[in-house]
Amino acid sequence: MRFFDSIDFSSPADIKNVQGKLLEELIGRTSLYYKDVFRQNNIAPNEIKRVDELPFTTRDDLQRHNWDFLAVQRNAIREIVSTTGTTGQPQFIAMTEGDIDRLAYNEQRSFTYTGAKEGDLFHIAVTGDNLFIAGAAYYRGLIRLGAAVARVGPQNTIRQFDLIEKLRPSAIVAVPSFMLHMARAANELKIDPKDLNIKKAVLIGESIRDMSLRSNALGELVEEAFGDICYSTYGITEGQVSFCECGQKEGLHSHPDLVIAEVVDEAGVPLDDGEIGELVLTTLQIEGMPLIRYKTGDITFKITEPCKCGRNSLRIGPIIGRKMQRLKIKGVTLYPKTIENAICKLKDVVNYQIEAATGENHSDRVILRVGSLRADKAFRDGIIENLRAKARVTPELEIESPDSINKRLYDGGARKAVVFKDVRNKD
Ligand SMILES: [Zn+2]
């Protein structure tokens, strides 16, 4: 593991140079899986000069050949983490001691972008176990930074407030919707979340920005409650890497010595800045399970121009959806998240579920079910109007009681609310 602490501020040419050397290293010592792929595609590893000369790796490849991706002896494994498996089976990722160091370095750097520093106390409200990589990354990253950590986890709100009041953390790491949940609970307890004196919130798991990089509805709700203290971050288990906003909040910075990020179209052709496509990652300096051109399934765009903060690292926009959730309604392409963002802030909307079914003429049929105690015309019209303005679509709208929606969300004993239900034919 080599650290390039100041690489973000290097010139684009120098960054490219470092990435080229690290790519060479990656191709030089890789797993059984990639040795086979190289052989099948007649690739001579020592002739590869650019990442886009290499074939893609899909989630399906990783799932099917999971342990063939291991590039070290089994006894070099120190930790095993896994993806959540919300879309398909979980994939296991084995990490060496070097990988754990790399993970800490990665997260330390991400926190640095937010201005976190020695002396800060971070309240970590996300889970630290259950094979979840991010909890370990925050913990080790903050310690590496010289900050202090309180590993609270996703406890109930009473416990959260109690610890916040007693420990007075300067910062929090949480999922945006959990912050909202806390804000609502604070309201009931007659606490103003702004009085908690939290100076920084690093938010993971859901996007709080829209395509223009401004706060989306979820971000606005969190900021209304806690103030303008939010930083968006995106992490991916398979890549053992995170992307994070700096103080400019104009995209999420990558760590150029840990990952090569591309955004590609349907046909796998790399896209230019601002063009929307799938995020593809090639991991650098990973020992255990390195990945080459891994198609994440996450949809975003890239920004290569230097950031006003002075860093020259590639940035990505917010994740606007998962590739497999893409909807096509009468020629308009969008993701369920866009629909959610258009309605989640509306008054009297208690809960909702979006269902996609196969429609006619290559169009999807999208039914939006809203849970509310209101069902009058003005309420319906308000929802439709917002969808037209913010999502450019008019799905079928059904209004039900919040209880009935709740039953749909947890139908069949789902552990996590199924906000997007996909019953489209997959052929
Ligand atoms: Zn920046």
Side-chain angles (χ1 to χ4, degrees):
M1 177 76 206
R2 282 183 284 150
F3 305 121
F4 297 82
D5 285 296
S6 57
I7 190 168
D8 303 334
F9 297 98
S10 301
S11 70
D14 286 348
I15 289 177
K16 219 170 164 187
N17 199 13
V18 168
Q19 288 189 323
K21 288 196 181 113
L22 294 174
L23 178 66
E24 220 172 276
E25 252 176 52
L26 161 69
I27 299 166
R29 47 155 189 85
T30 190
S31 55
L32 187 64
Y33 175 79
Y34 285 115
K35 286 192 178 105
D36 274 352
V37 168
F38 290 169
R39 198 166 43 235
Q40 282 160 18
N41 291 281
N42 292 318
I43 292 170
N46 50 6
E47 283 170 18
I48 296 292
K49 292 277 170 278
R50 294 195 328 262
V51 75
D52 59 8
E53 295 171 314
L54 291 159
F56 292 107
T57 307
T58 64
R59 291 167 81 88
D60 193 49
D61 294 331
L62 183 53
Q63 212 162 80
R64 270 193 228 198
H65 309 278
N66 205 164
W67 292 100
D68 288 345
F69 278 83
L70 192 65
V72 293
Q73 297 292 320
R74 284 222 172 209
N75 62 7
I77 298 173
R78 294 293 173 273
E79 177 159 10
I80 294 172
V81 293
S82 91
T83 57
T84 53
T86 41
T87 50
Q89 290 296 313
Q91 296 137 341
F92 294 106
I93 303 293
M95 302 171 76
T96 65
E97 196 170 347
D99 294 338
I100 295 170
D101 277 348
R102 178 186 171 282
L103 185 72
Y105 168 68
N106 154 82
E107 208 56 50
Q108 175 197 5
R109 290 260 299 277
S110 283
F111 279 115
T112 311
Y113 301 162
T114 73
K117 56 186 185 315
E118 204 178 313
D120 279 336
L121 169 60
F122 270 78
H123 176 110
I124 309 286
V126 299
T127 191
D129 53 18
N130 202 11
L131 280 72
F132 186 51
I133 194 171
Y138 302 136
Y139 177 64
R140 287 178 173 266
L142 286 164
I143 289 173
R144 197 171 191 278
L145 178 69
V149 189
R151 285 189 291 129
V152 180
Q155 306 291 332
N156 65 49
T157 46
I158 303 285
R159 173 87 172 137
Q160 302 279 349
F161 288 128
D162 184 46
L163 286 170
I164 290 171
E165 278 170 358
K166 286 185 176 131
L167 299 175
R168 312 303 297 179
S170 48
I172 187 166
V173 177
V175 174
S177 50
F178 189 73
M179 293 289 281
L180 265 194
H181 177 60
M182 294 225 316
R184 288 192 188 118
N187 210 10
E188 278 164 30
L189 295 166
K190 306 266 182 283
I191 300 170
D192 181 349
K194 292 193 181 90
D195 291 343
L196 298 172
N197 220 7
I198 297 170
K199 306 243 170 3
K200 205 182 292 301
V202 179
L203 303 181
I204 178 83
E206 294 157 316
S207 182
I208 54 165
R209 309 288 178 220
D210 64 18
M211 299 273 293
S212 62
L213 307 177
R214 281 192 289 269
S215 297
N216 62 18
L218 180 61
E220 278 177 13
L221 284 170
V222 176
E223 283 165 356
E224 271 163 30
F226 289 88
D228 186 13
I229 58 167
C230 303
Y231 290 84
S232 189
T233 181
Y234 160 79
I236 177 151
T237 308
E238 302 93 305
Q240 304 167 44
V241 80
S242 63
F243 294 67
C244 190
E245 282 182 343
C246 68
Q248 301 293 328
K249 304 186 182 176
E250 288 185 1
L252 292 79
H253 281 280
S254 63
H255 307 307
D257 51 340
L258 302 183
V259 71
I260 298 174
E262 303 169 85
V263 175
V264 305
D265 70 8
E266 282 285 282
V269 178
L271 293 169
D272 285 332
D273 278 30
E275 294 182 327
I276 289 170
E278 182 174 10
L279 180 66
V280 170
L281 302 178
T282 298
T283 61
L284 303 174
Q285 307 208 60
I286 283 182
E287 296 169 346
M289 285 189 175
L291 294 173
I292 293 172
R293 300 194 90 196
Y294 180 69
K295 294 178 112 177
T296 62
D298 288 324
I299 303 296
T300 186
F301 55 89
K302 71 180 169 81
I303 308 165
T304 51
E305 66 183 44
C307 181
K308 291 189 196 98
C309 71
R311 294 183 180 89
N312 291 316
S313 48
L314 178 141
R315 283 168 285 156
I316 58 168
I319 303 301
I320 58 174
R322 300 270 321 152
K323 189 180 170 191
M324 61 194 302
Q325 295 180 334
R326 182 175 47 202
L327 303 170
K328 272 193 179 146
I329 312 176
K330 292 176 187 150
V332 177
T333 300
L334 80 160
Y335 294 87
K337 275 269 165 250
T338 315
I339 297 179
E340 278 191 60
N341 279 325
I343 59 156
C344 72
K345 262 192 94 172
L346 292 180
K347 198 167 174 283
D348 299 319
V349 170
V350 179
N351 49 12
Y352 49 82
Q353 188 182 49
I354 301 158
E355 183 178 314
T358 302
E360 287 169 4
N361 301 327
H362 309 288
S363 194
D364 293 321
R365 198 181 147 213
V366 177
I367 305 140
L368 169 64
R369 293 193 176 90
V370 170
S372 178
L373 299 172
R374 281 181 65 178
D376 54 285
K377 185 167 181 306
F379 179 61
R380 290 185 75 94
D381 289 352
I383 295 174
I384 300 279
E385 205 176 292
N386 259 278
L387 288 166
R388 278 200 196 123
K390 294 184 180 154
R392 294 182 298 133
V393 289
T394 319
E396 293 169 41
L397 175 64
E398 287 175 16
I399 297 178
E400 297 179 5
S401 72
D403 272 354
S404 151
I405 297 293
N406 215 33
K407 280 197 193 101
R408 288 182 186 278
L409 289 172
Y410 295 95
D411 189 29
R415 275 191 305 164
K416 234 177 116 184
V418 181
V419 175
F420 177 62
K421 187 177 169 191
D422 201 349
V423 294
R424 291 176 289 184
N425 298 332
K426 285 287 184 281
D427 44 61

